[in-house]
């Protein structure tokens, strides 16, 4: 069995479903027909490790549903100010909510505010012209959820001088272990620290 991408997972988009377990996928701007024993959601993007045997049958491994990411151009500067200057995060959000006149930015700030009620710093940002996400929560240790670039989701635990990284992907675990002097583990249960959900659903 050969590895389609020998280094990192790739992004796929489920375009359509035709019959039991048969799907049309978009991979590297190409449409392919394949069969998956894993139930996939049409219209959803995933990160996944792909393998094949003799170039015909594609096998999915470690499928991860891509979270909804927002382009927030102020994200990186906010992260810098938060880490270096210790700004009042809730005060920043409330001030910008009051002043906000952009619908998309208002939604982002609202999600950040609701996350703060759960003691989570939720900050979308832009990295290499792609939407990314940083979430942080401090309890007995610092827990970080980071989704960016080709690595996808990373869960980082920092306690005193100890750092542990978890990833749902074998390829990412292997790559980071070879390049970092930090313990990196594969864990298929890596989840965000906060997910925004609509609080009200009125039906007429």
């Amino acid at each position: 069995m050969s590895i389609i991408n020998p280094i990192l997972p790739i992004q796929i988009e489920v375009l359509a479903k035709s019959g039991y377990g048969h799907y049309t996928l978009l991979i590297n701007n190409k449409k392919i027909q394949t069969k998956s024993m894993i139930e996939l959601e049409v219209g959803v993007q995933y990160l996944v490790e792909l393998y094949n045997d003799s170039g015909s049958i594609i096998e999915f491994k470690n499928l991860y549903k891509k979270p909804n990411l927002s382009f927030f151009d102020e994200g990186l500067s906010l992260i810098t100010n938060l880490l270096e200057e210790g700004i009042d995060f809730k005060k920043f959000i409330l001030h910008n909510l009051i002043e906000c006149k952009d619908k998309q930015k208002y939604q982002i700030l609202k999600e950040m505010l609701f996350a703060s009620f759960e003691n989570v710093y939720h900050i979308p940002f832009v990295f290499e012209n792609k939407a990314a996400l940083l979430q942080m929560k401090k309890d007995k240790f610092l827990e970080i959820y980071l989704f960016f670039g080709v690595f996808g989701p990373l869960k980082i635990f920092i306690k005193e001088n100890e750092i542990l990284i978890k990833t749902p992907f074998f390829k990412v675990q292997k790559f980071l272990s070879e390049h970092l002097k930090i313990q990196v583990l594969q864990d298929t249960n890596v989840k965000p620290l906060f997910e925004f959900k609509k609080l009200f659903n009125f039906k007429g």
Side-chain angles (χ1 to χ4, degrees), residues 9-71:
I10 66 172
Q11 180 176 295
I12 66 172
E13 182 177 354
V14 184
L15 299 179
K17 180 179 181 180
S18 55
Y20 178 74
H22 290 269
Y23 297 90
T24 302
L25 305 179
L26 185 65
I27 303 177
N28 294 332
N29 297 317
K30 294 182 179 180
K31 292 182 181 180
I32 68 165
Q33 305 290 328
T34 189
K35 184 177 181 180
S36 172
M37 299 303 294
I38 302 172
E39 184 71 21
L40 303 177
E41 297 180 44
V42 176
V44 170
Q45 294 179 339
Y46 295 88
L47 286 180
V48 63
E49 294 175 327
L50 296 182
Y51 300 79
N52 70 355
D53 55 353
S54 302
S56 55
I57 299 175
I58 295 176
E59 180 181 353
F60 299 110
K61 286 191 176 182
N62 306 317
L63 193 73
Y64 190 90
K65 185 177 179 179
K66 189 176 179 180
N68 293 323
L69 300 174
S70 302
F71 281 86

Side-chain angles (χ1 to χ4, degrees), residues 144-199:
I144 298 172
Y145 175 86
L146 182 62
F147 192 106
F148 78 106
V150 291
F151 292 112
L154 297 174
K155 195 61 109 27
I156 305 169
F157 302 88
I158 303 175
K159 184 178 181 180
E160 296 178 351
N161 294 324
E162 297 180 9
I163 300 177
L164 170 65
I165 299 177
K166 291 185 178 182
T167 168
F169 301 114
F170 169 75
K171 295 176 184 179
V172 175
Q173 186 271 333
K174 186 172 183 287
F175 179 85
L176 293 180
S177 293
E178 291 174 352
H179 292 83
L180 300 177
K181 295 181 179 180
I182 297 173
Q183 185 179 16
V184 184
L185 302 177
Q186 183 186 9
D187 183 352
T188 57
N189 198 37
V190 171
K191 295 180 180 180
L193 298 174
F194 168 82
E195 293 182 89
F196 181 79
K197 298 178 181 179
K198 291 183 180 180
L199 299 180

